[in-house]
Amino acid sequence: MTVDAPAADAPVAAVGSADASAEPRVRVLGVRHHGPGSARAVRAALEEWCPTVVLVEGPADADPLTVFVGREGMEPPVALLAATTDAPRRAAWWPFATFSPEWQALRWAAEHGVPARFIDLPAGVVLAREPGAGAPDGQAPDGDASGGESGDPGAGVGVDQDDAADADEAGGVGGPDASDVRADPVAALAHAAGYDDPERWWEDVVEQRSGDAAPFDVVADAMAALREAFGQEGAGAGTRGVAGDAPADDHERHEARREAYMRQQVRAALREGHERVAVVCGAWHAPALRGRLPAAAPDARLLTGLPKRKVLLTWAPWTASRLSLRSGYGAGIESPGWYEHLFTCDDDVVARWLVRVAGVLRERDLPVSSAHVIEATRLATVLAAVRGRPLAGLAEVTEATRAVLCEGDDALLAHVTADLVVGERLGTVPDDVPTVPLEADLRATARRLRLPFEAAPRTLELDLRKANDLARSQLLHRLALLGVAWGTPDVARTRSTGTFRETWSLHWRPELTVALVEASTWGVTVPAAAAACVVAGAAGADLPAITRLVEHTLVADLPDALDALLPALDERAARDVDVTHVLHAVPPLVRAHRYTDVRGTRVEALARVADALVVRACAALPGAVTGLDDDAARALRTDLDAAHDAVRLRDDADVGALWTAALRGVAGRTDVSGVLSGRATRLLLDAQELTPEAAATRLSRALSRGTPARTTAAWAEGFLDGGGLLIAGDRRLLTVLDDWVATLREDDFTDVLPLLRRTFGGLPVGERRALADAVAHLGAGRARAVEDDLDLDPELVSAPLATVLRLLGAPS
């Protein structure tokens, strides 16, 4: 893995052509990304050789950011973030953990005052590739998305899926083919060594090495053999495609360009006069960078004319869980927490790990003693010996944890995996790291409001009567308008605790940094950006959408945006003739008006608009309910319920009287779907605009024998939905319903049974139980009444009774 010094007048293509006995000027350290053994070996090699420059695989245009590696406040896991300035949603991540060999190389350089550079293709070139171009298995170029689900702001281009020692998943036992080797060369080596699990092979051979010499030469030789066997020769791979022997697909061309660019950077370092050049790269690329480098001209031609986009580059906090394979990051590992333990722990690795496991279980009030830890340590060691492994690995430790500490309980083992094996620690970056002004404003505001950025979800209870809590609420609402979902409101808990309280679930994820970059196009501060985003979103929005925007704008305290929205709201309300749009628009306006007492915002115009919409809804409702089938009626019933709750919340006598009259009109009609007429009757009963006796009479009339069974079932569905306790507590209503069900003909009962099951199945369990108890008591009471009404003569019934008893086999 050495390159000899060139003569002073030698052309660039002749780098490495000097006398083989001379001191090597270049050492290539082929590593596995996020490997503690590789990180330890790289650190030791750098301490021994003391290079004058350190070249690290990574985007070359991120070189200015290397100065922050040694700064106070830079704590991994962190990631280099590159986002295109014209479309920030297209972004790439290069994550680093404490145990990443590249990170240790950068830290060593920072601690010793040695320049460090990234030598891979610039991020602007990587992001200029078309999504999915040439990537295997239909994935994005250079790997999977950055850990985000489809549609997340962070979903974009990942990095370095195919680097040498990225053991993503095991190769097949039956032997790898060319595509398998390119995707996971470690699996091919593991298969050759007789392992069916590449993770276990790499851990045995590399990660658990402590004082031994680093296996860089051996690994590089193995990679060279793989590349030669599968048609991608070591140092010559980068020249293919220049003439004749072109790479087979776009992905191979991209890999060839990457290695050509790396060689160019090595040549540049040598031309600058550096005596000792250390190169830290994925082991797959090591054969292309060691030994005598090929001529520079073919590499230059291969790199000519590459498309490039303008990008923003910065450091961003990352999480341990995003380093795991299941996050979707291509160069991930299954157990970042375990690997960090391997890197930071020098002795008694298994025992110290199991002590930490015991601590996690004790936090859950489980009785784990020192004897448990000792026994689990012994079991893990014995398992490793039985399996012929040099030391106990994660598999043995996990089995010992399950058997001894968790007593076979996989649920407890899942807690250990989440807390320790994977983990949720969030890295930090210094405040002076260059970023967009919007993110800087958010971080300053969050620091002032004492809102920490945490990777683990937590619940935040806010009392809006307190100034700091009110400011927190406004910040989270503004971020939600910008699409930066740091907090998710718990609507159910918020409504149950009144208008003075809000409940949020906070969870900071790395891809939210990309969302901030994207949102920065609206402004440089959170309030200004949110206001601009709202105003732009109102253009072309329909009435329900603009009313929701008004509601969110009020709770976010964006008065300038509200002033721009109100004229648009008036205009939409005057033109919209769709009654469903009108009904949709009423609740957000009324809820927004309700916030005046708590937040002190100016909403005088909202009450006027909301009242006008209720008047229009009342006028349009008779025509809107005509001719609807039951399915359409169910959809309208949801809007009717929401508007009814809003009118009651509005608590205006004139508006309430008008709404009640409209409901009475719907409830009294026989030419509309029973779902709506039954629902209107129920709403009137709940509002005490209809007596229980009158409601029972209407129910009895709707369920009379002259009405088709499906029609009566629809009426019952509308009346009973969400009100099991009402029926259970009113004997008259229950009797009417019970008589109707009892007198149904068999065909009619079969016809309406699905509707009844849907109606009663939607009730909460407690209400269903109360309703069942009420029906049981009703049946028992009727049986006693029938028995009391019977007047039998004992002498007349004695003979038939004796005959029946004899037939049943009873003694005479």
Side-chain angles (χ1 to χ4, degrees):
M1 260 170 284
T2 62
V3 178
D4 297 335
D9 57 349
V12 174
V15 170
S17 62
D19 186 353
S21 63
E23 176 69 19
R25 293 182 61 188
V26 178
R27 288 188 179 178
V28 180
L29 310 179
V31 301
R32 181 194 186 194
H33 301 306
H34 311 316
S38 294
R40 194 181 297 111
V42 164
R43 186 88 186 194
L46 295 178
E47 290 284 357
E48 177 186 357
W49 197 49
C50 295
T52 56
V53 65
V54 176
L55 307 182
V56 177
E57 183 182 325
D61 43 3
D63 277 354
L65 297 176
T66 58
V67 299
F68 295 97
V69 171
R71 296 277 183 89
E72 183 179 357
M74 178 69 86
E75 295 292 337
V78 294
L80 281 172
L81 164 64
T84 56
T85 55
D86 56 340
R89 184 176 292 270
R90 182 159 174 78
W93 303 95
W94 285 262
F96 298 87
T98 303
F99 49 85
S100 300
E102 299 89 344
W103 180 258
Q104 288 303 317
L106 293 172
R107 285 299 303 266
W108 184 90
E111 292 167 4
H112 292 79
V114 173
R117 301 175 188 168
F118 290 115
I119 59 170
D120 206 345
L121 282 176
V125 174
V126 173
L127 291 174
R129 299 181 73 208
E130 290 298 322
D137 302 326
Q139 296 184 5
D142 293 325
D144 207 342
S146 58
E149 291 75 25
S150 177
D152 281 355
V157 183
V159 286
D160 215 18
Q161 175 175 332
D162 304 307
D163 279 343
D166 295 347
D168 286 359
E169 294 182 4
V173 176
D177 58 20
S179 61
D180 293 333
V181 171
R182 187 178 67 179
D184 189 358
V186 170
L189 294 177
H191 175 78
Y195 282 71
D196 59 358
D197 183 356
E199 287 285 342
R200 178 171 295 184
W201 177 83
W202 187 266
E203 192 170 319
D204 286 351
V205 175
V206 178
E207 300 304 344
Q208 292 185 343
R209 301 173 67 98
S210 54
D212 298 340
F216 294 125
D217 291 321
V218 175
V219 172
D221 289 340
M223 294 298 167
L226 283 176
R227 292 168 68 111
E228 183 176 0
F230 291 97
Q232 188 171 350
E233 300 174 359
T239 63
R240 292 176 15 170
V242 179
D245 187 17
D249 56 32
D250 182 79
H251 182 73
E252 287 191 12
R253 285 193 295 273
H254 179 66
E255 290 299 297
R257 290 180 181 122
R258 291 182 61 197
E259 292 176 352
Y261 194 89
M262 292 183 198
R263 285 192 294 271
Q264 293 282 52
Q265 300 306 303
V266 173
R267 295 184 184 103
L270 292 171
R271 282 197 301 267
E272 292 172 6
H274 288 286
E275 293 297 325
R276 295 178 300 278
V277 180
V279 180
V280 181
C281 64
W284 181 255
H285 303 300
L289 304 179
R290 69 171 183 167
R292 179 182 176 87
L293 296 181
D299 284 345
R301 288 197 298 269
L302 187 62
L303 297 171
T304 300
L306 289 180
K308 188 175 182 179
R309 300 176 71 170
K310 187 177 181 180
V311 297
L312 166 73
L313 283 150
T314 185
W315 287 106
W318 200 250
T319 62
S321 63
R322 291 304 175 95
L323 295 170
S324 66
L325 286 178
R326 60 187 177 188
S327 72
Y329 167 54
I333 53 175
E334 293 179 344
S335 47
W338 168 254
Y339 272 15
E340 182 168 4
H341 177 74
L342 287 179
F343 180 73
T344 57
C345 186
D346 294 328
D347 58 355
D348 297 327
V349 173
V350 174
R352 294 180 186 277
W353 175 264
L354 290 171
V355 168
R356 295 177 61 191
V357 172
V360 170
L361 296 176
R362 285 172 180 170
E363 289 177 357
R364 289 170 170 79
D365 298 326
L366 296 172
V368 179
S369 66
S370 300
H372 286 91
V373 176
I374 294 171
E375 186 60 31
T377 304
R378 290 174 177 169
L379 178 57
T381 304
V382 171
L383 284 174
V386 169
R387 295 170 178 175
R389 303 193 64 183
L391 293 172
L394 181 59
E396 288 74 28
V397 171
T398 300
E399 292 183 32
T401 300
R402 179 190 287 109
V404 180
L405 301 183
C406 298
E407 298 181 350
D409 191 337
D410 286 335
L412 295 180
L413 186 65
H415 289 302
V416 174
T417 300
D419 292 353
L420 287 182
V421 178
V422 177
E424 275 296 347
R425 188 165 59 86
L426 180 69
T428 60
V429 299
D431 292 337
D432 57 346
V433 167
T435 185
V436 293
L438 181 64
E439 183 180 359
D441 178 69
L442 171 60
R443 295 193 175 277
T445 304
R447 187 165 49 250
R448 175 172 53 82
L449 299 177
R450 299 188 297 278
L451 274 177
F453 297 93
E454 297 174 341
R458 72 181 183 98
T459 300
L460 179 67
E461 301 280 352
L462 298 179
D463 185 344
L464 301 182
R465 294 168 294 186
K466 299 178 180 179
N468 193 67
D469 281 2
L470 179 59
R472 288 176 169 182
S473 171
Q474 292 167 350
L475 174 64
L476 293 174
H477 280 291
R478 291 166 181 170
L479 291 175
L481 287 170
L482 288 170
V484 183
W486 181 12
T488 303
D490 189 334
V491 178
R493 293 186 61 181
T494 297
R495 290 180 178 176
S496 65
T497 53
T499 59
F500 291 105
R501 297 190 179 277
E502 281 184 352
T503 303
W504 292 79
S505 176
L506 298 186
H507 183 198
W508 184 262
R509 303 179 302 281
E511 60 265 23
L512 295 181
T513 304
V514 179
L516 283 171
V517 175
E518 187 174 11
S520 65
T521 58
W522 299 111
V524 297
T525 66
V526 175
C533 183
V534 166
V535 173
D542 58 16
L543 181 59
I546 201 169
T547 53
R548 287 192 296 270
L549 283 176
V550 167
E551 180 184 14
H552 296 322
T553 301
L554 278 167
V555 297
D557 191 23
L558 301 173
D560 294 339
L562 183 63
D563 291 340
L565 287 179
L566 288 179
L569 176 62
D570 278 332
E571 187 266 338
R572 301 292 196 287
R575 289 193 298 107
D576 204 316
V577 296
D578 190 332
V579 69
T580 59
H581 283 184
V582 175
L583 291 175
H584 269 303
V586 172
L589 289 179
V590 173
R591 286 195 301 267
H593 184 266
R594 188 188 188 197
Y595 274 101
T596 55
D597 297 333
V598 179
R599 301 175 181 266
T601 49
R602 299 179 294 105
V603 290
E604 296 84 358
L606 293 182
R608 174 178 56 79
V609 176
D611 292 346
L613 289 176
V614 173
V615 172
R616 293 186 56 199
C618 293
L621 197 57
V625 301
T626 303
L628 295 181
D629 60 16
D630 289 344
D631 290 335
R634 291 186 186 97
L636 184 59
R637 180 187 66 189
T638 303
D639 298 332
L640 202 66
D641 286 347
H644 178 76
D645 292 340
V647 170
R648 295 184 65 185
L649 186 63
R650 176 76 178 89
D651 197 21
D652 181 274
D654 295 336
V655 173
L658 191 62
W659 179 253
T660 298
L663 289 180
R664 287 186 182 277
V666 175
R669 292 177 59 175
T670 58
D671 61 336
V672 300
S673 171
V675 174
L676 292 175
S677 56
R679 194 60 186 166
T681 302
R682 173 59 185 276
L683 295 178
L684 290 171
L685 177 62
D686 290 345
Q688 298 182 351
E689 299 291 341
L690 194 66
T691 64
E693 291 76 14
T697 300
R698 293 195 178 198
L699 177 63
S700 178
R701 185 185 307 124
L703 303 182
S704 61
R705 293 192 176 215
T707 309
R710 292 187 64 87
T711 302
T712 58
W715 201 99
E717 177 187 350
F719 183 79
L720 298 176
D721 185 38
L725 293 180
L726 171 71
I727 303 299
D730 192 315
R731 186 181 180 87
R732 182 170 179 177
L733 292 175
L734 183 62
T735 301
V736 172
L737 184 63
D738 185 65
D739 288 342
W740 171 67
V741 174
T743 57
L744 283 173
R745 294 179 301 177
E746 182 176 353
D747 292 344
D748 291 339
F749 181 78
T750 303
D751 197 26
V752 303
L753 182 58
L755 298 177
L756 293 175
R757 290 189 62 180
R758 178 171 57 190
T759 300
F760 291 103
L763 298 177
V765 175
E767 293 189 15
R768 293 203 304 269
R769 186 178 294 113
L771 191 58
D773 291 341
V775 171
H777 286 104
L778 180 65
R782 287 184 169 181
R784 286 193 299 271
V786 171
E787 184 178 340
D788 293 341
D789 290 342
L790 292 177
D791 186 12
L792 301 177
D793 186 343
E795 294 183 0
L796 292 177
V797 301
S798 59
L801 181 60
T803 302
V804 171
L805 291 174
R806 189 177 297 111
L807 290 173
L808 295 175
S812 56

